[in-house]
mmCIF file with all atom_site columns, all heavy atoms in Angstrom:
data_model
loop_
_atom_site.group_PDB
_atom_site.id
_atom_site.type_symbol
_atom_site.label_atom_id
_atom_site.label_alt_id
_atom_site.label_comp_id
_atom_site.label_asym_id
_atom_site.label_entity_id
_atom_site.label_seq_id
_atom_site.pdbx_PDB_ins_code
_atom_site.Cartn_x
_atom_site.Cartn_y
_atom_site.Cartn_z
_atom_site.occupancy
_atom_site.B_iso_or_equiv
_atom_site.pdbx_formal_charge
_atom_site.auth_seq_id
_atom_site.auth_comp_id
_atom_site.auth_asym_id
_atom_site.auth_atom_id
_atom_site.pdbx_PDB_model_num
ATOM 1   N N   . THR A 1 105 ? 14.631 0.580   -2.871  1.00 97.00 ? 385 THR A N   1
ATOM 2   C CA  . THR A 1 105 ? 14.818 -0.321  -1.736  1.00 97.00 ? 385 THR A CA  1
ATOM 3   C C   . THR A 1 105 ? 13.562 -0.410  -0.868  1.00 97.00 ? 385 THR A C   1
ATOM 4   O O   . THR A 1 105 ? 13.645 -0.735  0.319   1.00 97.00 ? 385 THR A O   1
ATOM 5   C CB  . THR A 1 105 ? 16.021 0.114   -0.875  1.00 97.00 ? 385 THR A CB  1
ATOM 6   O OG1 . THR A 1 105 ? 15.782 1.439   -0.400  1.00 97.00 ? 385 THR A OG1 1
ATOM 7   C CG2 . THR A 1 105 ? 17.313 0.048   -1.667  1.00 97.00 ? 385 THR A CG2 1
ATOM 8   N N   . SER A 1 106 ? 12.420 -0.170  -1.458  1.00 97.00 ? 386 SER A N   1
ATOM 9   C CA  . SER A 1 106 ? 11.161 -0.276  -0.722  1.00 97.00 ? 386 SER A CA  1
ATOM 10  C C   . SER A 1 106 ? 10.659 -1.713  -0.755  1.00 97.00 ? 386 SER A C   1
ATOM 11  O O   . SER A 1 106 ? 10.158 -2.189  -1.777  1.00 97.00 ? 386 SER A O   1
ATOM 12  C CB  . SER A 1 106 ? 10.097 0.649   -1.323  1.00 97.00 ? 386 SER A CB  1
ATOM 13  O OG  . SER A 1 106 ? 8.834  0.357   -0.773  1.00 97.00 ? 386 SER A OG  1
ATOM 14  N N   . GLU A 1 107 ? 10.777 -2.395  0.369   1.00 98.00 ? 387 GLU A N   1
ATOM 15  C CA  . GLU A 1 107 ? 10.292 -3.772  0.437   1.00 98.00 ? 387 GLU A CA  1
ATOM 16  C C   . GLU A 1 107 ? 8.790  -3.834  0.192   1.00 98.00 ? 387 GLU A C   1
ATOM 17  O O   . GLU A 1 107 ? 8.291  -4.793  -0.388  1.00 98.00 ? 387 GLU A O   1
ATOM 18  C CB  . GLU A 1 107 ? 10.660 -4.426  1.772   1.00 98.00 ? 387 GLU A CB  1
ATOM 19  C CG  . GLU A 1 107 ? 9.933  -3.902  2.990   1.00 98.00 ? 387 GLU A CG  1
ATOM 20  C CD  . GLU A 1 107 ? 10.514 -2.622  3.575   1.00 98.00 ? 387 GLU A CD  1
ATOM 21  O OE1 . GLU A 1 107 ? 11.462 -2.041  3.021   1.00 98.00 ? 387 GLU A OE1 1
ATOM 22  O OE2 . GLU A 1 107 ? 9.995  -2.184  4.613   1.00 98.00 ? 387 GLU A OE2 1
ATOM 23  N N   . ARG A 1 108 ? 8.065  -2.811  0.596   1.00 98.00 ? 388 ARG A N   1
ATOM 24  C CA  . ARG A 1 108 ? 6.608  -2.803  0.404   1.00 98.00 ? 388 ARG A CA  1
ATOM 25  C C   . ARG A 1 108 ? 6.248  -2.703  -1.078  1.00 98.00 ? 388 ARG A C   1
ATOM 26  O O   . ARG A 1 108 ? 5.344  -3.396  -1.548  1.00 98.00 ? 388 ARG A O   1
ATOM 27  C CB  . ARG A 1 108 ? 5.993  -1.651  1.204   1.00 98.00 ? 388 ARG A CB  1
ATOM 28  C CG  . ARG A 1 108 ? 6.117  -1.885  2.697   1.00 98.00 ? 388 ARG A CG  1
ATOM 29  C CD  . ARG A 1 108 ? 5.624  -0.775  3.594   1.00 98.00 ? 388 ARG A CD  1
ATOM 30  N NE  . ARG A 1 108 ? 4.927  0.312   2.968   1.00 98.00 ? 388 ARG A NE  1
ATOM 31  C CZ  . ARG A 1 108 ? 5.050  1.588   3.324   1.00 98.00 ? 388 ARG A CZ  1
ATOM 32  N NH1 . ARG A 1 108 ? 5.867  1.926   4.291   1.00 98.00 ? 388 ARG A NH1 1
ATOM 33  N NH2 . ARG A 1 108 ? 4.351  2.522   2.724   1.00 98.00 ? 388 ARG A NH2 1
ATOM 34  N N   . LEU A 1 109 ? 6.938  -1.838  -1.822  1.00 98.00 ? 389 LEU A N   1
ATOM 35  C CA  . LEU A 1 109 ? 6.649  -1.720  -3.256  1.00 98.00 ? 389 LEU A CA  1
ATOM 36  C C   . LEU A 1 109 ? 7.065  -2.984  -4.008  1.00 98.00 ? 389 LEU A C   1
ATOM 37  O O   . LEU A 1 109 ? 6.371  -3.416  -4.928  1.00 98.00 ? 389 LEU A O   1
ATOM 38  C CB  . LEU A 1 109 ? 7.312  -0.478  -3.841  1.00 98.00 ? 389 LEU A CB  1
ATOM 39  C CG  . LEU A 1 109 ? 6.667  0.850   -3.429  1.00 98.00 ? 389 LEU A CG  1
ATOM 40  C CD1 . LEU A 1 109 ? 7.534  2.030   -3.865  1.00 98.00 ? 389 LEU A CD1 1
ATOM 41  C CD2 . LEU A 1 109 ? 5.254  0.978   -3.991  1.00 98.00 ? 389 LEU A CD2 1
ATOM 42  N N   . TRP A 1 110 ? 8.189  -3.590  -3.620  1.00 98.00 ? 390 TRP A N   1
ATOM 43  C CA  . TRP A 1 110 ? 8.580  -4.853  -4.245  1.00 98.00 ? 390 TRP A CA  1
ATOM 44  C C   . TRP A 1 110 ? 7.539  -5.929  -3.967  1.00 98.00 ? 390 TRP A C   1
ATOM 45  O O   . TRP A 1 110 ? 7.215  -6.744  -4.834  1.00 98.00 ? 390 TRP A O   1
ATOM 46  C CB  . TRP A 1 110 ? 9.962  -5.301  -3.765  1.00 98.00 ? 390 TRP A CB  1
ATOM 47  C CG  . TRP A 1 110 ? 11.072 -4.585  -4.446  1.00 98.00 ? 390 TRP A CG  1
ATOM 48  C CD1 . TRP A 1 110 ? 11.856 -3.592  -3.927  1.00 98.00 ? 390 TRP A CD1 1
ATOM 49  C CD2 . TRP A 1 110 ? 11.524 -4.768  -5.797  1.00 98.00 ? 390 TRP A CD2 1
ATOM 50  N NE1 . TRP A 1 110 ? 12.757 -3.160  -4.862  1.00 98.00 ? 390 TRP A NE1 1
ATOM 51  C CE2 . TRP A 1 110 ? 12.577 -3.867  -6.024  1.00 98.00 ? 390 TRP A CE2 1
ATOM 52  C CE3 . TRP A 1 110 ? 11.126 -5.614  -6.826  1.00 98.00 ? 390 TRP A CE3 1
ATOM 53  C CZ2 . TRP A 1 110 ? 13.253 -3.793  -7.232  1.00 98.00 ? 390 TRP A CZ2 1
ATOM 54  C CZ3 . TRP A 1 110 ? 11.792 -5.547  -8.045  1.00 98.00 ? 390 TRP A CZ3 1
ATOM 55  C CH2 . TRP A 1 110 ? 12.839 -4.645  -8.241  1.00 98.00 ? 390 TRP A CH2 1
ATOM 56  N N   . ASN A 1 111 ? 6.997  -5.934  -2.756  1.00 98.00 ? 391 ASN A N   1
ATOM 57  C CA  . ASN A 1 111 ? 5.965  -6.899  -2.412  1.00 98.00 ? 391 ASN A CA  1
ATOM 58  C C   . ASN A 1 111 ? 4.713  -6.683  -3.263  1.00 98.00 ? 391 ASN A C   1
ATOM 59  O O   . ASN A 1 111 ? 4.149  -7.636  -3.800  1.00 98.00 ? 391 ASN A O   1
ATOM 60  C CB  . ASN A 1 111 ? 5.635  -6.816  -0.917  1.00 98.00 ? 391 ASN A CB  1
ATOM 61  C CG  . ASN A 1 111 ? 4.657  -7.878  -0.493  1.00 98.00 ? 391 ASN A CG  1
ATOM 62  O OD1 . ASN A 1 111 ? 4.908  -9.066  -0.631  1.00 98.00 ? 391 ASN A OD1 1
ATOM 63  N ND2 . ASN A 1 111 ? 3.512  -7.442  0.018   1.00 98.00 ? 391 ASN A ND2 1
ATOM 64  N N   . VAL A 1 112 ? 4.273  -5.435  -3.407  1.00 98.00 ? 392 VAL A N   1
ATOM 65  C CA  . VAL A 1 112 ? 3.095  -5.145  -4.234  1.00 98.00 ? 392 VAL A CA  1
ATOM 66  C C   . VAL A 1 112 ? 3.363  -5.552  -5.681  1.00 98.00 ? 392 VAL A C   1
ATOM 67  O O   . VAL A 1 112 ? 2.492  -6.131  -6.341  1.00 98.00 ? 392 VAL A O   1
ATOM 68  C CB  . VAL A 1 112 ? 2.683  -3.658  -4.140  1.00 98.00 ? 392 VAL A CB  1
ATOM 69  C CG1 . VAL A 1 112 ? 1.569  -3.328  -5.128  1.00 98.00 ? 392 VAL A CG1 1
ATOM 70  C CG2 . VAL A 1 112 ? 2.251  -3.307  -2.726  1.00 98.00 ? 392 VAL A CG2 1
ATOM 71  N N   . ARG A 1 113 ? 4.556  -5.286  -6.152  1.00 98.00 ? 393 ARG A N   1
ATOM 72  C CA  . ARG A 1 113 ? 4.916  -5.701  -7.514  1.00 98.00 ? 393 ARG A CA  1
ATOM 73  C C   . ARG A 1 113 ? 4.760  -7.213  -7.661  1.00 98.00 ? 393 ARG A C   1
ATOM 74  O O   . ARG A 1 113 ? 4.204  -7.722  -8.642  1.00 98.00 ? 393 ARG A O   1
ATOM 75  C CB  . ARG A 1 113 ? 6.342  -5.269  -7.827  1.00 98.00 ? 393 ARG A CB  1
ATOM 76  C CG  . ARG A 1 113 ? 6.779  -5.556  -9.245  1.00 98.00 ? 393 ARG A CG  1
ATOM 77  C CD  . ARG A 1 113 ? 8.182  -4.967  -9.431  1.00 98.00 ? 393 ARG A CD  1
ATOM 78  N NE  . ARG A 1 113 ? 8.583  -4.998  -10.813 1.00 98.00 ? 393 ARG A NE  1
ATOM 79  C CZ  . ARG A 1 113 ? 9.620  -5.699  -11.265 1.00 98.00 ? 393 ARG A CZ  1
ATOM 80  N NH1 . ARG A 1 113 ? 10.341 -6.442  -10.432 1.00 98.00 ? 393 ARG A NH1 1
ATOM 81  N NH2 . ARG A 1 113 ? 9.947  -5.663  -12.528 1.00 98.00 ? 393 ARG A NH2 1
ATOM 82  N N   . GLY A 1 114 ? 5.245  -7.941  -6.656  1.00 98.00 ? 394 GLY A N   1
ATOM 83  C CA  . GLY A 1 114 ? 5.111  -9.391  -6.681  1.00 98.00 ? 394 GLY A CA  1
ATOM 84  C C   . GLY A 1 114 ? 3.656  -9.845  -6.652  1.00 98.00 ? 394 GLY A C   1
ATOM 85  O O   . GLY A 1 114 ? 3.278  -10.786 -7.356  1.00 98.00 ? 394 GLY A O   1
ATOM 86  N N   . VAL A 1 115 ? 2.838  -9.175  -5.864  1.00 98.00 ? 395 VAL A N   1
ATOM 87  C CA  . VAL A 1 115 ? 1.414  -9.527  -5.799  1.00 98.00 ? 395 VAL A CA  1
ATOM 88  C C   . VAL A 1 115 ? 0.766  -9.313  -7.166  1.00 98.00 ? 395 VAL A C   1
ATOM 89  O O   . VAL A 1 115 ? -0.020 -10.142 -7.635  1.00 98.00 ? 395 VAL A O   1
ATOM 90  C CB  . VAL A 1 115 ? 0.688  -8.711  -4.704  1.00 98.00 ? 395 VAL A CB  1
ATOM 91  C CG1 . VAL A 1 115 ? -0.824 -8.880  -4.792  1.00 98.00 ? 395 VAL A CG1 1
ATOM 92  C CG2 . VAL A 1 115 ? 1.187  -9.114  -3.320  1.00 98.00 ? 395 VAL A CG2 1
ATOM 93  N N   . LEU A 1 116 ? 1.101  -8.218  -7.814  1.00 98.00 ? 396 LEU A N   1
ATOM 94  C CA  . LEU A 1 116 ? 0.570  -7.958  -9.154  1.00 98.00 ? 396 LEU A CA  1
ATOM 95  C C   . LEU A 1 116 ? 1.000  -9.063  -10.121 1.00 98.00 ? 396 LEU A C   1
ATOM 96  O O   . LEU A 1 116 ? 0.179  -9.590  -10.878 1.00 98.00 ? 396 LEU A O   1
ATOM 97  C CB  . LEU A 1 116 ? 1.044  -6.603  -9.664  1.00 98.00 ? 396 LEU A CB  1
ATOM 98  C CG  . LEU A 1 116 ? 0.411  -5.378  -9.009  1.00 98.00 ? 396 LEU A CG  1
ATOM 99  C CD1 . LEU A 1 116 ? 1.228  -4.134  -9.306  1.00 98.00 ? 396 LEU A CD1 1
ATOM 100 C CD2 . LEU A 1 116 ? -1.025 -5.209  -9.483  1.00 98.00 ? 396 LEU A CD2 1
ATOM 101 N N   . GLN A 1 117 ? 2.274  -9.416  -10.086 1.00 98.00 ? 397 GLN A N   1
ATOM 102 C CA  . GLN A 1 117 ? 2.779  -10.458 -10.971 1.00 98.00 ? 397 GLN A CA  1
ATOM 103 C C   . GLN A 1 117 ? 2.129  -11.805 -10.659 1.00 98.00 ? 397 GLN A C   1
ATOM 104 O O   . GLN A 1 117 ? 1.758  -12.547 -11.574 1.00 98.00 ? 397 GLN A O   1
ATOM 105 C CB  . GLN A 1 117 ? 4.301  -10.539 -10.848 1.00 98.00 ? 397 GLN A CB  1
ATOM 106 C CG  . GLN A 1 117 ? 4.977  -9.303  -11.407 1.00 98.00 ? 397 GLN A CG  1
ATOM 107 C CD  . GLN A 1 117 ? 6.405  -9.137  -10.938 1.00 98.00 ? 397 GLN A CD  1
ATOM 108 O OE1 . GLN A 1 117 ? 6.761  -9.504  -9.825  1.00 98.00 ? 397 GLN A OE1 1
ATOM 109 N NE2 . GLN A 1 117 ? 7.229  -8.544  -11.802 1.00 98.00 ? 397 GLN A NE2 1
ATOM 110 N N   . PHE A 1 118 ? 1.971  -12.110 -9.382  1.00 98.00 ? 398 PHE A N   1
ATOM 111 C CA  . PHE A 1 118 ? 1.327  -13.359 -8.980  1.00 98.00 ? 398 PHE A CA  1
ATOM 112 C C   . PHE A 1 118 ? -0.100 -13.405 -9.527  1.00 98.00 ? 398 PHE A C   1
ATOM 113 O O   . PHE A 1 118 ? -0.534 -14.424 -10.061 1.00 98.00 ? 398 PHE A O   1
ATOM 114 C CB  . PHE A 1 118 ? 1.323  -13.474 -7.449  1.00 98.00 ? 398 PHE A CB  1
ATOM 115 C CG  . PHE A 1 118 ? 0.835  -14.796 -6.934  1.00 98.00 ? 398 PHE A CG  1
ATOM 116 C CD1 . PHE A 1 118 ? 1.731  -15.804 -6.628  1.00 98.00 ? 398 PHE A CD1 1
ATOM 117 C CD2 . PHE A 1 118 ? -0.525 -15.032 -6.739  1.00 98.00 ? 398 PHE A CD2 1
ATOM 118 C CE1 . PHE A 1 118 ? 1.289  -17.029 -6.143  1.00 98.00 ? 398 PHE A CE1 1
ATOM 119 C CE2 . PHE A 1 118 ? -0.981 -16.247 -6.257  1.00 98.00 ? 398 PHE A CE2 1
ATOM 120 C CZ  . PHE A 1 118 ? -0.070 -17.254 -5.954  1.00 98.00 ? 398 PHE A CZ  1
ATOM 121 N N   . ASN A 1 119 ? -0.812 -12.304 -9.406  1.00 97.00 ? 399 ASN A N   1
ATOM 122 C CA  . ASN A 1 119 ? -2.196 -12.248 -9.886  1.00 97.00 ? 399 ASN A CA  1
ATOM 123 C C   . ASN A 1 119 ? -2.300 -12.335 -11.404 1.00 97.00 ? 399 ASN A C   1
ATOM 124 O O   . ASN A 1 119 ? -3.372 -12.633 -11.929 1.00 97.00 ? 399 ASN A O   1
ATOM 125 C CB  . ASN A 1 119 ? -2.895 -10.986 -9.374  1.00 97.00 ? 399 ASN A CB  1
ATOM 126 C CG  . ASN A 1 119 ? -3.396 -11.166 -7.968  1.00 97.00 ? 399 ASN A CG  1
ATOM 127 O OD1 . ASN A 1 119 ? -4.430 -11.768 -7.745  1.00 97.00 ? 399 ASN A OD1 1
ATOM 128 N ND2 . ASN A 1 119 ? -2.636 -10.670 -7.006  1.00 97.00 ? 399 ASN A ND2 1
ATOM 129 N N   . CYS A 1 120 ? -1.203 -12.085 -12.085 1.00 97.00 ? 400 CYS A N   1
ATOM 130 C CA  . CYS A 1 120 ? -1.161 -12.239 -13.550 1.00 97.00 ? 400 CYS A CA  1
ATOM 131 C C   . CYS A 1 120 ? -0.544 -13.580 -13.943 1.00 97.00 ? 400 CYS A C   1
ATOM 132 O O   . CYS A 1 120 ? -0.165 -13.782 -15.097 1.00 97.00 ? 400 CYS A O   1
ATOM 133 C CB  . CYS A 1 120 ? -0.381 -11.079 -14.168 1.00 97.00 ? 400 CYS A CB  1
ATOM 134 S SG  . CYS A 1 120 ? -1.216 -9.490  -14.028 1.00 97.00 ? 400 CYS A SG  1
ATOM 135 N N   . ASP A 1 121 ? -0.406 -14.487 -12.973 1.00 97.00 ? 401 ASP A N   1
ATOM 136 C CA  . ASP A 1 121 ? 0.167  -15.818 -13.189 1.00 97.00 ? 401 ASP A CA  1
ATOM 137 C C   . ASP A 1 121 ? 1.608  -15.768 -13.690 1.00 97.00 ? 401 ASP A C   1
ATOM 138 O O   . ASP A 1 121 ? 2.074  -16.692 -14.360 1.00 97.00 ? 401 ASP A O   1
ATOM 139 C CB  . ASP A 1 121 ? -0.700 -16.646 -14.151 1.00 97.00 ? 401 ASP A CB  1
ATOM 140 C CG  . ASP A 1 121 ? -2.103 -16.860 -13.627 1.00 97.00 ? 401 ASP A CG  1
ATOM 141 O OD1 . ASP A 1 121 ? -2.275 -16.930 -12.392 1.00 97.00 ? 401 ASP A OD1 1
ATOM 142 O OD2 . ASP A 1 121 ? -3.035 -16.957 -14.453 1.00 97.00 ? 401 ASP A OD2 1
ATOM 143 N N   . GLU A 1 122 ? 2.329  -14.732 -13.339 1.00 98.00 ? 402 GLU A N   1
ATOM 144 C CA  . GLU A 1 122 ? 3.749  -14.601 -13.684 1.00 98.00 ? 402 GLU A CA  1
ATOM 145 C C   . GLU A 1 122 ? 4.568  -14.992 -12.450 1.00 98.00 ? 402 GLU A C   1
ATOM 146 O O   . GLU A 1 122 ? 5.216  -14.162 -11.815 1.00 98.00 ? 402 GLU A O   1
ATOM 147 C CB  . GLU A 1 122 ? 4.049  -13.167 -14.125 1.00 98.00 ? 402 GLU A CB  1
ATOM 148 C CG  . GLU A 1 122 ? 3.297  -12.736 -15.366 1.00 98.00 ? 402 GLU A CG  1
ATOM 149 C CD  . GLU A 1 122 ? 3.475  -11.263 -15.700 1.00 98.00 ? 402 GLU A CD  1
ATOM 150 O OE1 . GLU A 1 122 ? 3.973  -10.489 -14.851 1.00 98.00 ? 402 GLU A OE1 1
ATOM 151 O OE2 . GLU A 1 122 ? 3.108  -10.886 -16.825 1.00 98.00 ? 402 GLU A OE2 1
ATOM 152 N N   . TYR A 1 123 ? 4.542  -16.274 -12.122 1.00 98.00 ? 403 TYR A N   1
ATOM 153 C CA  . TYR A 1 123 ? 5.086  -16.743 -10.855 1.00 98.00 ? 403 TYR A CA  1
ATOM 154 C C   . TYR A 1 123 ? 6.600  -16.578 -10.730 1.00 98.00 ? 403 TYR A C   1
ATOM 155 O O   . TYR A 1 123 ? 7.091  -16.252 -9.649  1.00 98.00 ? 403 TYR A O   1
ATOM 156 C CB  . TYR A 1 123 ? 4.663  -18.195 -10.601 1.00 98.00 ? 403 TYR A CB  1
ATOM 157 C CG  . TYR A 1 123 ? 3.161  -18.354 -10.588 1.00 98.00 ? 403 TYR A CG  1
ATOM 158 C CD1 . TYR A 1 123 ? 2.531  -19.193 -11.503 1.00 98.00 ? 403 TYR A CD1 1
ATOM 159 C CD2 . TYR A 1 123 ? 2.372  -17.667 -9.677  1.00 98.00 ? 403 TYR A CD2 1
ATOM 160 C CE1 . TYR A 1 123 ? 1.148  -19.341 -11.496 1.00 98.00 ? 403 TYR A CE1 1
ATOM 161 C CE2 . TYR A 1 123 ? 0.998  -17.804 -9.668  1.00 98.00 ? 403 TYR A CE2 1
ATOM 162 C CZ  . TYR A 1 123 ? 0.388  -18.639 -10.580 1.00 98.00 ? 403 TYR A CZ  1
ATOM 163 O OH  . TYR A 1 123 ? -0.975 -18.764 -10.574 1.00 98.00 ? 403 TYR A OH  1
ATOM 164 N N   . ASP A 1 124 ? 7.329  -16.793 -11.807 1.00 98.00 ? 404 ASP A N   1
ATOM 165 C CA  . ASP A 1 124 ? 8.783  -16.608 -11.736 1.00 98.00 ? 404 ASP A CA  1
ATOM 166 C C   . ASP A 1 124 ? 9.128  -15.158 -11.424 1.00 98.00 ? 404 ASP A C   1
ATOM 167 O O   . ASP A 1 124 ? 9.999  -14.884 -10.590 1.00 98.00 ? 404 ASP A O   1
ATOM 168 C CB  . ASP A 1 124 ? 9.454  -17.040 -13.049 1.00 98.00 ? 404 ASP A CB  1
ATOM 169 C CG  . ASP A 1 124 ? 9.495  -18.549 -13.213 1.00 98.00 ? 404 ASP A CG  1
ATOM 170 O OD1 . ASP A 1 124 ? 9.732  -19.255 -12.209 1.00 98.00 ? 404 ASP A OD1 1
ATOM 171 O OD2 . ASP A 1 124 ? 9.293  -19.028 -14.349 1.00 98.00 ? 404 ASP A OD2 1
ATOM 172 N N   . LEU A 1 125 ? 8.453  -14.229 -12.100 1.00 98.00 ? 405 LEU A N   1
ATOM 173 C CA  . LEU A 1 125 ? 8.689  -12.810 -11.846 1.00 98.00 ? 405 LEU A CA  1
ATOM 174 C C   . LEU A 1 125 ? 8.238  -12.429 -10.439 1.00 98.00 ? 405 LEU A C   1
ATOM 175 O O   . LEU A 1 125 ? 8.905  -11.647 -9.748  1.00 98.00 ? 405 LEU A O   1
ATOM 176 C CB  . LEU A 1 125 ? 7.962  -11.949 -12.886 1.00 98.00 ? 405 LEU A CB  1
ATOM 177 C CG  . LEU A 1 125 ? 8.459  -12.070 -14.319 1.00 98.00 ? 405 LEU A CG  1
ATOM 178 C CD1 . LEU A 1 125 ? 7.556  -11.293 -15.278 1.00 98.00 ? 405 LEU A CD1 1
ATOM 179 C CD2 . LEU A 1 125 ? 9.907  -11.597 -14.426 1.00 98.00 ? 405 LEU A CD2 1
ATOM 180 N N   . ALA A 1 126 ? 7.109  -12.983 -10.011 1.00 98.00 ? 406 ALA A N   1
ATOM 181 C CA  . ALA A 1 126 ? 6.615  -12.710 -8.659  1.00 98.00 ? 406 ALA A CA  1
ATOM 182 C C   . ALA A 1 126 ? 7.633  -13.181 -7.624  1.00 98.00 ? 406 ALA A C   1
ATOM 183 O O   . ALA A 1 126 ? 7.918  -12.467 -6.645  1.00 98.00 ? 406 ALA A O   1
ATOM 184 C CB  . ALA A 1 126 ? 5.270  -13.386 -8.443  1.00 98.00 ? 406 ALA A CB  1
ATOM 185 N N   . ALA A 1 127 ? 8.177  -14.360 -7.827  1.00 98.00 ? 407 ALA A N   1
ATOM 186 C CA  . ALA A 1 127 ? 9.187  -14.879 -6.888  1.00 98.00 ? 407 ALA A CA  1
ATOM 187 C C   . ALA A 1 127 ? 10.375 -13.921 -6.808  1.00 98.00 ? 407 ALA A C   1
ATOM 188 O O   . ALA A 1 127 ? 10.865 -13.624 -5.711  1.00 98.00 ? 407 ALA A O   1
ATOM 189 C CB  . ALA A 1 127 ? 9.639  -16.268 -7.308  1.00 98.00 ? 407 ALA A CB  1
#
Side-chain angles (χ1 to χ4, degrees):
T385 60
S386 169
E387 70 278 4
R388 292 176 8 218
L389 288 170
W390 281 105
N391 185 59
V392 173
R393 184 176 190 243
V395 170
L396 288 164
Q397 292 162 327
F398 187 95
N399 278 281
C400 292
D401 299 329
E402 298 173 347
Y403 302 120
D404 286 321
L405 294 173

